[in-house]
Amino acid sequence: MDSIQWPCPLSEDTKQALIDIAQTTDSLSHPNEQGVFYVLHGIAFVHFSPETVVNTMNSAVIRRGIWVGSPEQNKRIQVHSHVEEVSPLQLVFFPHDKLNKLCEVNLEVYKFLYHSREAMTSSWLTSQLVTLFDKETRIVYTLTELAEYAQNIQGSVIRLELSQKQLSTITGISRPRLNEVLKNLESANELSLERGNIFINDLKRLKERLMKIENAMLLD
């Protein structure tokens, strides 16, 4: 746990107190428990939605160095969650019940909870904005997010170990529509497809397709 990048400056005593209550896991699912997670290794997309919602791209990429979880210690919000792993996750879990007890004796833990939430806010807000755009934009956004953290780079080509089924689940776009967009991008030589893999040939040109999102974020 020495490699944890804390979301804000904390005293050594507080860091040690947090480490003392933490446990390592390879899953974001802890039955009957809520808490805060820190991603040590791996890449995944996590989706959250109310019980009545089936679809969606209500999701964001989580990867090494990201904090995930709710800082609302005394609330239990009923949501459905699904995690689509791109590469295996290894996480540190801080259970809410133990965080509650720490808060009673160490007020600096509230600072930790606040900043652990803020660390993820930008990614969630951007993913929500993306749902307002067309299917090509949603797919390209997902691919460029994954490409930023890809480990498999061969020269100027980035290999994403990602099936079209996974990409369909992550984006909430049906396989036929997804395939249509991917084929168009392949024809433009911006990516190439292989069973279980997507190769990003020109990340710069892919990112240029996302200018509409950047423009929207600049609007008052």
Side-chain angles (χ1 to χ4, degrees):
M1 297 188 191
D2 293 339
S3 62
I4 290 178
Q5 299 174 23
W6 298 98
C8 60
L10 297 169
S11 68
E12 291 303 316
D13 287 345
T14 297
K15 291 178 184 178
Q16 188 58 53
L18 288 167
I19 289 172
D20 287 345
I21 68 167
Q23 53 193 269
T24 56
T25 178
D26 60 1
S27 173
L28 282 169
S29 300
H30 276 249
N32 303 316
E33 284 195 88
Q34 291 189 1
V36 175
F37 294 85
Y38 176 78
V39 185
L40 286 173
H41 300 287
I43 302 175
F45 273 79
V46 60
H47 315 249
F48 289 108
S49 64
E51 186 174 356
T52 56
V53 176
V54 178
N55 162 34
T56 120
M57 194 180 170
N58 184 12
S59 62
V61 65
I62 60 172
R63 42 81 181 174
R64 184 177 61 187
I66 285 288
W67 291 89
V68 185
S70 168
E72 300 296 335
Q73 291 298 95
N74 298 313
K75 295 183 180 180
R76 292 295 183 264
I77 302 171
Q78 297 301 313
V79 295
H80 281 214
S81 63
H82 173 74
V83 177
E84 189 70 30
E85 287 192 8
V86 179
S87 62
L89 292 172
Q90 183 181 357
L91 312 112
V92 180
F93 176 57
F94 303 84
H96 267 175
D97 58 346
K98 294 183 179 180
L99 286 169
N100 273 331
K101 292 178 181 178
L102 273 185
C103 286
E104 294 173 2
V105 297
N106 186 340
L107 295 180
E108 195 177 23
V109 176
Y110 285 110
K111 177 183 176 182
F112 160 75
L113 290 170
Y114 173 80
H115 285 279
S116 64
R117 177 196 63 187
E118 290 298 299
M120 192 65 182
T121 298
S122 176
S123 181
W124 286 112
L125 290 177
T126 303
S127 69
Q128 292 303 297
L129 178 63
V130 170
T131 64
L132 303 176
F133 291 92
D134 57 84
K135 60 182 183 294
E136 178 188 278
T137 301
R138 291 158 64 187
I139 292 167
V140 170
Y141 170 78
T142 301
L143 292 174
T144 56
E145 278 285 280
L146 290 173
E148 288 292 332
Y149 311 113
Q151 300 296 314
N152 297 310
I153 302 176
Q154 304 164 358
S156 61
V157 177
I158 301 170
R159 178 166 67 92
L160 303 179
E161 297 181 63
L162 182 74
S163 69
Q164 291 190 38
K165 180 180 179 181
Q166 285 178 300
L167 188 55
S168 175
T169 299
I170 291 167
T171 59
I173 296 172
S174 67
R175 291 282 295 278
R177 292 183 179 276
L178 173 70
N179 187 62
E180 176 187 347
V181 171
L182 292 178
K183 289 296 184 184
N184 288 339
L185 295 173
E186 188 174 36
S187 296
N189 295 318
E190 294 174 29
L191 58 76
S192 54
L193 305 172
E194 184 181 285
R195 186 176 181 84
N197 293 279
I198 298 175
F199 295 89
I200 307 299
N201 300 327
D202 197 329
L203 183 58
K204 180 180 178 181
R205 285 175 59 194
L206 274 180
K207 286 184 173 181
E208 288 173 356
R209 294 178 181 267
L210 300 177
M211 288 301 298
K212 62 186 76 175
I213 297 178
E214 294 183 17
N215 292 337
M217 293 182 73
L218 291 174
L219 294 177
D220 293 329

PDB file of all heavy atoms in Angstrom, residues 201-216:
ATOM      1  N   ASN A 201      -4.722   3.292 -34.392  1.00  0.00           N
ATOM      2  CA  ASN A 201      -3.644   3.656 -35.322  1.00  0.00           C
ATOM      3  C   ASN A 201      -3.314   5.141 -35.298  1.00  0.00           C
ATOM      4  O   ASN A 201      -2.177   5.531 -35.576  1.00  0.00           O
ATOM      5  CB  ASN A 201      -4.021   3.255 -36.749  1.00  0.00           C
ATOM      6  CG  ASN A 201      -4.268   1.768 -36.879  1.00  0.00           C
ATOM      7  OD1 ASN A 201      -3.638   0.957 -36.190  1.00  0.00           O
ATOM      8  ND2 ASN A 201      -5.192   1.393 -37.750  1.00  0.00           N
ATOM      9  N   ASP A 202      -4.321   5.971 -35.013  1.00  0.00           N
ATOM     10  CA  ASP A 202      -4.119   7.417 -35.048  1.00  0.00           C
ATOM     11  C   ASP A 202      -4.930   8.065 -33.936  1.00  0.00           C
ATOM     12  O   ASP A 202      -6.054   8.515 -34.146  1.00  0.00           O
ATOM     13  CB  ASP A 202      -4.538   7.972 -36.415  1.00  0.00           C
ATOM     14  CG  ASP A 202      -3.994   9.369 -36.675  1.00  0.00           C
ATOM     15  OD1 ASP A 202      -3.833  10.126 -35.693  1.00  0.00           O
ATOM     16  OD2 ASP A 202      -3.744   9.707 -37.842  1.00  0.00           O
ATOM     17  N   LEU A 203      -4.354   8.111 -32.743  1.00  0.00           N
ATOM     18  CA  LEU A 203      -5.057   8.644 -31.578  1.00  0.00           C
ATOM     19  C   LEU A 203      -5.363  10.133 -31.746  1.00  0.00           C
ATOM     20  O   LEU A 203      -6.431  10.601 -31.327  1.00  0.00           O
ATOM     21  CB  LEU A 203      -4.213   8.416 -30.318  1.00  0.00           C
ATOM     22  CG  LEU A 203      -4.835   8.855 -28.988  1.00  0.00           C
ATOM     23  CD1 LEU A 203      -6.159   8.155 -28.744  1.00  0.00           C
ATOM     24  CD2 LEU A 203      -3.861   8.588 -27.843  1.00  0.00           C
ATOM     25  N   LYS A 204      -4.467  10.860 -32.385  1.00  0.00           N
ATOM     26  CA  LYS A 204      -4.671  12.294 -32.567  1.00  0.00           C
ATOM     27  C   LYS A 204      -5.927  12.566 -33.385  1.00  0.00           C
ATOM     28  O   LYS A 204      -6.744  13.423 -33.022  1.00  0.00           O
ATOM     29  CB  LYS A 204      -3.446  12.922 -33.247  1.00  0.00           C
ATOM     30  CG  LYS A 204      -3.572  14.418 -33.463  1.00  0.00           C
ATOM     31  CD  LYS A 204      -2.330  14.990 -34.137  1.00  0.00           C
ATOM     32  CE  LYS A 204      -2.496  16.484 -34.393  1.00  0.00           C
ATOM     33  NZ  LYS A 204      -1.296  17.060 -35.069  1.00  0.00           N
ATOM     34  N   ARG A 205      -6.086  11.837 -34.473  1.00  0.00           N
ATOM     35  CA  ARG A 205      -7.273  12.054 -35.320  1.00  0.00           C
ATOM     36  C   ARG A 205      -8.536  11.617 -34.614  1.00  0.00           C
ATOM     37  O   ARG A 205      -9.595  12.244 -34.766  1.00  0.00           O
ATOM     38  CB  ARG A 205      -7.100  11.312 -36.646  1.00  0.00           C
ATOM     39  CG  ARG A 205      -6.119  11.989 -37.603  1.00  0.00           C
ATOM     40  CD  ARG A 205      -5.895  11.168 -38.844  1.00  0.00           C
ATOM     41  NE  ARG A 205      -7.136  10.935 -39.581  1.00  0.00           N
ATOM     42  CZ  ARG A 205      -7.254  10.017 -40.559  1.00  0.00           C
ATOM     43  NH1 ARG A 205      -6.202   9.253 -40.872  1.00  0.00           N
ATOM     44  NH2 ARG A 205      -8.389   9.867 -41.186  1.00  0.00           N
ATOM     45  N   LEU A 206      -8.462  10.555 -33.835  1.00  0.00           N
ATOM     46  CA  LEU A 206      -9.639  10.144 -33.059  1.00  0.00           C
ATOM     47  C   LEU A 206     -10.051  11.250 -32.087  1.00  0.00           C
ATOM     48  O   LEU A 206     -11.237  11.572 -31.956  1.00  0.00           O
ATOM     49  CB  LEU A 206      -9.347   8.859 -32.283  1.00  0.00           C
ATOM     50  CG  LEU A 206      -9.564   7.520 -32.990  1.00  0.00           C
ATOM     51  CD1 LEU A 206      -9.207   6.383 -32.038  1.00  0.00           C
ATOM     52  CD2 LEU A 206     -11.005   7.358 -33.474  1.00  0.00           C
ATOM     53  N   LYS A 207      -9.063  11.829 -31.412  1.00  0.00           N
ATOM     54  CA  LYS A 207      -9.371  12.872 -30.437  1.00  0.00           C
ATOM     55  C   LYS A 207      -9.974  14.105 -31.098  1.00  0.00           C
ATOM     56  O   LYS A 207     -10.780  14.823 -30.480  1.00  0.00           O
ATOM     57  CB  LYS A 207      -8.100  13.265 -29.666  1.00  0.00           C
ATOM     58  CG  LYS A 207      -7.670  12.234 -28.640  1.00  0.00           C
ATOM     59  CD  LYS A 207      -6.469  12.734 -27.854  1.00  0.00           C
ATOM     60  CE  LYS A 207      -6.122  11.799 -26.723  1.00  0.00           C
ATOM     61  NZ  LYS A 207      -4.962  12.284 -25.934  1.00  0.00           N
ATOM     62  N   GLU A 208      -9.615  14.358 -32.351  1.00  0.00           N
ATOM     63  CA  GLU A 208     -10.182  15.505 -33.056  1.00  0.00           C
ATOM     64  C   GLU A 208     -11.687  15.362 -33.245  1.00  0.00           C
ATOM     65  O   GLU A 208     -12.412  16.359 -33.358  1.00  0.00           O
ATOM     66  CB  GLU A 208      -9.491  15.678 -34.413  1.00  0.00           C
ATOM     67  CG  GLU A 208      -8.064  16.195 -34.299  1.00  0.00           C
ATOM     68  CD  GLU A 208      -7.322  16.211 -35.621  1.00  0.00           C
ATOM     69  OE1 GLU A 208      -7.894  15.734 -36.643  1.00  0.00           O
ATOM     70  OE2 GLU A 208      -6.162  16.684 -35.649  1.00  0.00           O
ATOM     71  N   ARG A 209     -12.176  14.128 -33.233  1.00  0.00           N
ATOM     72  CA  ARG A 209     -13.617  13.891 -33.349  1.00  0.00           C
ATOM     73  C   ARG A 209     -14.358  14.287 -32.069  1.00  0.00           C
ATOM     74  O   ARG A 209     -15.599  14.310 -32.058  1.00  0.00           O
ATOM     75  CB  ARG A 209     -13.893  12.418 -33.659  1.00  0.00           C
ATOM     76  CG  ARG A 209     -13.382  11.961 -35.026  1.00  0.00           C
ATOM     77  CD  ARG A 209     -13.636  10.488 -35.242  1.00  0.00           C
ATOM     78  NE  ARG A 209     -13.128  10.020 -36.525  1.00  0.00           N
ATOM     79  CZ  ARG A 209     -13.854   9.957 -37.650  1.00  0.00           C
ATOM     80  NH1 ARG A 209     -15.123  10.322 -37.633  1.00  0.00           N
ATOM     81  NH2 ARG A 209     -13.316   9.507 -38.770  1.00  0.00           N
ATOM     82  N   LEU A 210     -13.613  14.559 -31.002  1.00  0.00           N
ATOM     83  CA  LEU A 210     -14.233  14.895 -29.722  1.00  0.00           C
ATOM     84  C   LEU A 210     -14.242  16.397 -29.451  1.00  0.00           C
ATOM     85  O   LEU A 210     -14.589  16.817 -28.349  1.00  0.00           O
ATOM     86  CB  LEU A 210     -13.489  14.189 -28.579  1.00  0.00           C
ATOM     87  CG  LEU A 210     -13.470  12.664 -28.654  1.00  0.00           C
ATOM     88  CD1 LEU A 210     -12.643  12.104 -27.497  1.00  0.00           C
ATOM     89  CD2 LEU A 210     -14.882  12.090 -28.621  1.00  0.00           C
ATOM     90  N   MET A 211     -13.919  17.208 -30.454  1.00  0.00           N
ATOM     91  CA  MET A 211     -13.885  18.645 -30.254  1.00  0.00           C
ATOM     92  C   MET A 211     -15.235  19.193 -29.821  1.00  0.00           C
ATOM     93  O   MET A 211     -15.317  20.155 -29.059  1.00  0.00           O
ATOM     94  CB  MET A 211     -13.423  19.341 -31.540  1.00  0.00           C
ATOM     95  CG  MET A 211     -11.947  19.155 -31.852  1.00  0.00           C
ATOM     96  SD  MET A 211     -10.867  19.774 -30.523  1.00  0.00           S
ATOM     97  CE  MET A 211     -11.299  21.508 -30.533  1.00  0.00           C
ATOM     98  N   LYS A 212     -16.322  18.554 -30.272  1.00  0.00           N
ATOM     99  CA  LYS A 212     -17.663  19.039 -29.904  1.00  0.00           C
ATOM    100  C   LYS A 212     -17.889  18.939 -28.399  1.00  0.00           C
ATOM    101  O   LYS A 212     -18.579  19.768 -27.812  1.00  0.00           O
ATOM    102  CB  LYS A 212     -18.737  18.260 -30.672  1.00  0.00           C
ATOM    103  CG  LYS A 212     -18.765  16.771 -30.380  1.00  0.00           C
ATOM    104  CD  LYS A 212     -19.764  16.036 -31.280  1.00  0.00           C
ATOM    105  CE  LYS A 212     -19.239  15.873 -32.672  1.00  0.00           C
ATOM    106  NZ  LYS A 212     -20.154  15.048 -33.518  1.00  0.00           N
ATOM    107  N   ILE A 213     -17.289  17.907 -27.783  1.00  0.00           N
ATOM    108  CA  ILE A 213     -17.410  17.772 -26.324  1.00  0.00           C
ATOM    109  C   ILE A 213     -16.635  18.882 -25.639  1.00  0.00           C
ATOM    110  O   ILE A 213     -17.122  19.524 -24.707  1.00  0.00           O
ATOM    111  CB  ILE A 213     -16.896  16.405 -25.853  1.00  0.00           C
ATOM    112  CG1 ILE A 213     -17.752  15.280 -26.439  1.00  0.00           C
ATOM    113  CG2 ILE A 213     -16.897  16.326 -24.323  1.00  0.00           C
ATOM    114  CD1 ILE A 213     -17.269  13.896 -26.046  1.00  0.00           C
ATOM    115  N   GLU A 214     -15.416  19.120 -26.093  1.00  0.00           N
ATOM    116  CA  GLU A 214     -14.593  20.167 -25.488  1.00  0.00           C
ATOM    117  C   GLU A 214     -15.263  21.524 -25.625  1.00  0.00           C
ATOM    118  O   GLU A 214     -15.246  22.343 -24.703  1.00  0.00           O
ATOM    119  CB  GLU A 214     -13.217  20.181 -26.142  1.00  0.00           C
ATOM    120  CG  GLU A 214     -12.400  18.921 -25.870  1.00  0.00           C
ATOM    121  CD  GLU A 214     -11.007  18.994 -26.471  1.00  0.00           C
ATOM    122  OE1 GLU A 214     -10.576  20.118 -26.813  1.00  0.00           O
ATOM    123  OE2 GLU A 214     -10.369  17.949 -26.596  1.00  0.00           O
ATOM    124  N   ASN A 215     -15.878  21.772 -26.792  1.00  0.00           N
ATOM    125  CA  ASN A 215     -16.577  23.044 -26.996  1.00  0.00           C
ATOM    126  C   ASN A 215     -17.756  23.178 -26.047  1.00  0.00           C
ATOM    127  O   ASN A 215     -18.022  24.258 -25.514  1.00  0.00           O
ATOM    128  CB  ASN A 215     -17.050  23.167 -28.447  1.00  0.00           C
ATOM    129  CG  ASN A 215     -15.899  23.315 -29.425  1.00  0.00           C
ATOM    130  OD1 ASN A 215     -14.803  23.735 -29.050  1.00  0.00           O
ATOM    131  ND2 ASN A 215     -16.119  22.927 -30.677  1.00  0.00           N
ATOM    132  N   ALA A 216     -18.475  22.070 -25.842  1.00  0.00           N
ATOM    133  CA  ALA A 216     -19.633  22.099 -24.936  1.00  0.00           C
ATOM    134  C   ALA A 216     -19.214  22.383 -23.507  1.00  0.00           C
ATOM    135  O   ALA A 216     -19.898  23.106 -22.764  1.00  0.00           O
ATOM    136  CB  ALA A 216     -20.389  20.766 -24.995  1.00  0.00           C
TER     137      ALA A 216
END
